[in-house]
Amino acid sequence: MVIHYKCPNCGADMAFDSESGHLSCPSCGHEENIETFPEQNIERKFDEGEAKEYHCENCGAIILTEAETTATHCSFCGAPVVLADRLTGDLAPAKVIPFTVSKDEAVAAFKKWTRGGRLTPRGFTSGDRIKKMTGMYVPFWLYDIEGEAHIQAIGTQVRTYQSGDTIYTETNFYDVFREIDLSYLKVPADASEKMDDVLMDKLEPYDYSELKDFRMPYLAGYLAEKYDFDDEQLFSRVESKIVPYIDAYISTTISGYSSVSYTNKQIDAQKKKVYYTLFPVWMVYYDFDNKEHTFAMNGQTGKVVGKPPISIGKVALWFTGIAASSFVAMKAIAFAVGGVLW
Amino acid sequence: MRNSSWKWVWIPVLVLLLFFGGLSVSAQTGDLIYDEAGLLSSEEVQELEALAEQYGAEQNVDFLFLSTDSTEGQSIEGYMGDFFDDRADSTGHEDAVLLTIDIGGREVYLAGFGTAERTLDAERVDLVLDRIIPEMQSGDYANAFEETVVTSSEYMEYRPGVNPESIFLKTWFHLAIALLLAGIIVGSMLYNAGGRVTTTPGTYVDRDHTRVRSQDDRFRNKTVTRSKIPKNKDGGGFGGGGGMTGGGRSFSGGGRSF
């Protein structure tokens, strides 16, 4: 099934506008609220049978997509289309964070980011080599996690005192028990195989106050993917993400000791709820030194992540600069205090 | 032919040697080295006299060496004080660093008079004594005095009150910190070049439902270990801080047995 959102005003294909949060018509500028979009302007076309071939309703061209794609553009006429049957049933997202960074803002933010790179080669910071910029809704699973932790540990308190010419070191040992209720809300893990997990983790955090119930029109004009891994498959990954958080919390509950060694640490965590959610990400493909570098930008907050090229010369310059100036500074202080330079 | 010409060359050299030898003999009696216990050879006296003169001119003090077989029933401080009062009264030199060795009592005392009371304070005296005690114990008194002169001069360059052996004044320390600092800063710049993780343990926590349900801290046992404070193995120190001579001259100083 292919969906077009037709402008009630002029009949052109409408796309999601990140600034207003509405559907907007590129030809007449008309805007429509997503919640109240008139049903008769949603043009649906069911494809027959099993064949996963979609036809653009505008020009009749075959829409070429990968199997994971749920929203794209017609490669022939450029009209935004949403592939609805890939977004229904089990594949229906529960929530979405709409784009708030428009393409122009994303380009500007990325250029600003490259200029700020202190260790990147000169050509990288000044050049304008953005090859491709794609706004993409990336599938994530958000987990509400509930659990408990049972902790046994031995804490020590050390006291030293002096009597005569003897130093006494007194160590008190305590048995420490803790039972802790744990609850974490909406911990994300990206469900797309294509996306680099480290890159996606660095894009966090998203602002959940703008988390909306999913509606298809949000996808019009962007690329979107469906998940490759279901919530069961990804749970171990999200667990490995929160275990350090849990450990950090546990250590805050045991205070007043000079050392703590855990004898038994039992953490049970189950998922209470999962939300299939689409997060907005700008993917930036950048050519430098005959190599393509990939960057990702949080489509909500504008945070940029990705491995930029590193200039050895600039690294050396920074290193010697910092080392030399701090050496001079320390020498100056030593001279001011001690009155001797060497 | 060749031999006989060399003989002629030797004569002025010999004359020069006699001349300087005679000079330093006169210096020995009047000036800086008072080796009454005979701990130094005459060559050592000459060398040390020259050294003390050179460094003394730089620091504007007299570096004095005094040795004795016996302090005649006095403390080494008293003996030293009397000696310095006499010398200062006759020469008018009030600024001096004086190393006194009582070979009979096997004690050594280092004192700073006049300007040296400030520039070579008790703390610095102690540091110098730390350095020369091994040489005192091995009987190498010439080197002990040389070390005293050189190290004291070095210390006197520093502002009064500053510990000249402080690690914060060492060049290698400055260099190490500078390199370490640069390494940490540039390392973190490299590490964060690809974007930083800005989520914290608090990002996703549900504060309403994350809590300690029950807790218990129970005393189990205690252990006590004892360790003796190590004694200074270089013999006892005494007279730390300084004092006043019989003639009313105040000084900084400290002494050790060796």
Side-chain angles (χ1 to χ4, degrees):
Chain A
M1 186 170 74
V2 175
I3 293 186
H4 292 266
Y5 295 92
K6 295 292 182 188
C7 176
N9 217 17
C10 67
D13 287 296
M14 302 183 86
F16 180 75
D17 175 35
S18 61
E19 252 150 70
S20 60
H22 295 157
L23 278 175
S24 129
C25 177
S27 49
C28 71
H30 179 74
E31 290 201 357
E32 274 291 331
N33 196 321
I34 283 166
E35 273 81 21
T36 61
F37 192 79
E39 192 65 21
Q40 67 270 19
N41 286 75
I42 303 177
E43 195 178 288
R44 292 190 173 85
K45 168 72 166 54
F46 288 90
D47 275 304
E48 292 295 314
E50 294 295 299
K52 287 292 173 212
E53 198 177 80
Y54 300 90
H55 291 273
C56 175
E57 284 311 291
N58 275 4
C59 63
I62 294 173
I63 297 165
L64 299 168
T65 71
E66 293 179 57
E68 302 82 32
T69 306
T70 57
T72 184
H73 295 89
C74 171
S75 49
F76 194 74
C77 68
V81 294
V82 176
L83 308 178
D85 53 346
R86 291 177 177 177
L87 291 164
T88 49
D90 281 351
L91 299 173
K95 302 275 179 189
V96 63
I97 293 178
F99 273 92
T100 49
V101 178
S102 72
K103 186 164 189 168
D104 291 341
E105 286 167 347
V107 170
F110 181 74
K111 280 186 179 163
K112 192 171 161 225
W113 180 79
T114 57
R115 275 198 296 276
R118 285 187 284 258
L119 298 179
T120 46
R122 184 179 297 273
F124 180 78
T125 57
S126 60
D128 183 15
R129 296 192 184 78
I130 298 176
K131 195 166 81 179
K132 204 170 78 181
M133 195 135 187
T134 315
M136 183 185 283
Y137 280 103
V138 178
F140 276 75
W141 290 104
L142 305 190
Y143 294 82
D144 283 356
I145 289 166
E146 213 178 43
E148 47 189 43
H150 301 271
I151 307 299
Q152 288 176 28
I154 293 175
T156 64
Q157 287 173 345
V158 181
R159 194 168 76 93
T160 58
Y161 55 93
Q162 192 179 335
S163 168
D165 58 353
T166 308
I167 298 172
Y168 295 88
T169 308
E170 183 185 296
T171 311
N172 289 310
F173 292 87
Y174 292 85
D175 281 323
V176 179
F177 300 96
R178 293 283 183 281
E179 287 197 18
I180 297 169
D181 284 338
L182 298 165
S183 175
Y184 289 87
L185 297 180
K186 296 195 176 67
V187 185
D190 92 87
S192 168
E193 201 173 359
K194 264 188 242 173
M195 294 297 171
D196 182 46
D197 288 348
V198 176
L199 212 63
M200 290 297 124
D201 283 353
K202 282 183 176 172
L203 282 179
E204 292 172 38
Y206 293 84
D207 178 4
Y208 286 162
S209 65
E210 287 179 51
L211 198 63
K212 299 246 194 325
D213 287 336
F214 176 75
R215 276 172 209 275
M216 284 190 207
Y218 287 119
L219 307 191
Y222 296 96
L223 277 180
E225 303 239 311
K226 69 180 182 61
Y227 62 82
D228 298 313
F229 302 109
D230 65 26
D231 59 327
E232 292 294 333
Q233 287 168 305
L234 275 189
F235 187 64
S236 62
R237 190 166 119 64
V238 92
E239 249 187 326
S240 70
K241 248 175 105 163
I242 61 162
V243 162
Y245 298 166
I246 294 174
D247 283 341
Y249 178 71
I250 289 170
S251 62
T252 64
T253 68
I254 305 176
S255 55
Y257 295 103
S258 34
S259 78
V260 175
S261 64
Y262 295 95
T263 50
N264 189 10
K265 192 187 245 181
Q266 197 182 323
I267 300 170
D268 295 315
Q270 299 100 31
K271 61 176 195 282
K272 197 172 80 179
K273 234 173 155 183
V274 289
Y275 311 85
Y276 177 30
T277 307
L278 300 179
F279 281 169
V281 175
W282 283 105
M283 298 300 294
V284 184
Y285 303 94
Y286 194 95
D287 268 346
F288 183 75
D289 253 2
N290 301 324
K291 256 165 65 189
E292 189 183 85
H293 297 264
T294 306
F295 301 91
M297 184 191 297
N298 185 320
Q300 185 191 24
T301 64
K303 181 182 182 184
V304 180
V305 302
K307 271 250 157 295
I310 298 292
S311 153
I312 303 290
K314 279 198 179 180
V315 171
L317 214 65
W318 273 96
F319 184 86
T320 46
I322 294 169
S325 53
S326 46
F327 183 73
V328 168
M330 276 185 291
K331 271 288 163 216
I333 293 168
F335 183 67
V337 172
V340 169
L341 206 50
W342 292 105
Chain B
M1 186 67 189
R2 206 177 182 180
N3 272 344
S4 62
S5 74
W6 274 107
K7 262 176 204 159
W8 291 109
V9 174
W10 275 111
I11 289 173
V13 173
L14 280 170
V15 169
L16 269 174
L17 272 175
L18 278 171
F19 182 67
F20 276 110
L23 251 187
S24 57
V25 164
S26 68
Q28 182 184 4
T29 51
D31 261 340
L32 303 170
I33 309 284
Y34 300 87
D35 185 15
E36 284 152 26
L39 302 177
L40 307 173
S41 70
S42 58
E43 294 89 60
E44 283 171 342
V45 170
Q46 282 174 41
E47 280 170 23
L48 292 177
E49 191 87 32
L51 185 85
E53 197 130 6
Q54 178 201 337
Y55 279 88
E58 280 173 22
Q59 300 300 333
N60 266 326
V61 295
D62 289 351
F63 283 103
L64 303 175
F65 177 94
L66 171 64
S67 71
T68 179
D69 289 323
S70 154
T71 53
E72 293 144 19
Q74 288 196 77
S75 71
I76 189 167
E77 281 171 274
Y79 181 82
M80 170 215 76
D82 287 350
F83 163 81
F84 188 76
D85 281 340
D86 286 347
R87 185 182 185 274
D89 286 342
S90 62
T91 62
H93 292 191
E94 296 285 350
D95 305 328
V97 172
L98 170 54
L99 182 73
T100 311
I101 297 172
D102 171 19
I103 202 68
R106 294 198 72 78
E107 283 180 345
V108 60
Y109 198 91
L110 181 63
F113 289 93
T115 56
E117 187 186 353
R118 243 162 64 78
T119 53
L120 193 71
D121 59 16
E123 184 193 17
R124 294 178 181 183
V125 162
D126 230 31
L127 291 170
V128 176
L129 287 174
D130 282 345
R131 285 207 185 188
I132 64 170
I133 279 298
E135 278 141 5
M136 299 299 298
Q137 280 164 344
S138 64
D140 193 355
Y141 305 109
N143 267 338
F145 183 61
E146 185 183 336
E147 179 92 51
T148 305
V149 171
V150 173
T151 308
S152 300
S153 301
E154 191 192 307
Y155 288 174
M156 289 158 89
E157 300 276 340
Y158 288 87
R159 197 154 294 182
V162 175
N163 177 0
E165 293 290 348
S166 164
I167 189 170
F168 298 109
L169 299 176
K170 301 281 182 209
T171 298
W172 66 261
F173 179 77
H174 298 155
L175 202 64
I177 292 293
L179 291 177
L180 196 72
L181 201 69
I184 289 171
I185 293 174
V186 175
S188 77
M189 279 165 76
L190 276 174
Y191 183 77
N192 290 323
R196 238 179 324 158
V197 175
T198 45
T199 51
T200 65
T203 306
Y204 300 111
V205 74
D206 172 11
R207 292 186 202 284
D208 298 336
H209 298 102
T210 298
R211 60 193 176 88
V212 177
R213 202 188 322 133
S214 71
Q215 59 174 323
D216 189 18
D217 297 61
R218 205 172 302 156
F219 178 74
R220 203 164 100 151
N221 63 317
K222 80 171 181 183
T223 61
V224 178
T225 58
R226 297 168 185 80
S227 62
K228 287 252 183 271
I229 297 168
K231 286 233 173 69
N232 199 340
K233 60 180 190 296
D234 294 333
F238 58 87
M244 193 80 84
T245 66
R249 294 182 170 84
S250 81
F251 59 91
S252 61
R256 301 267 173 93
S257 305
F258 63 91

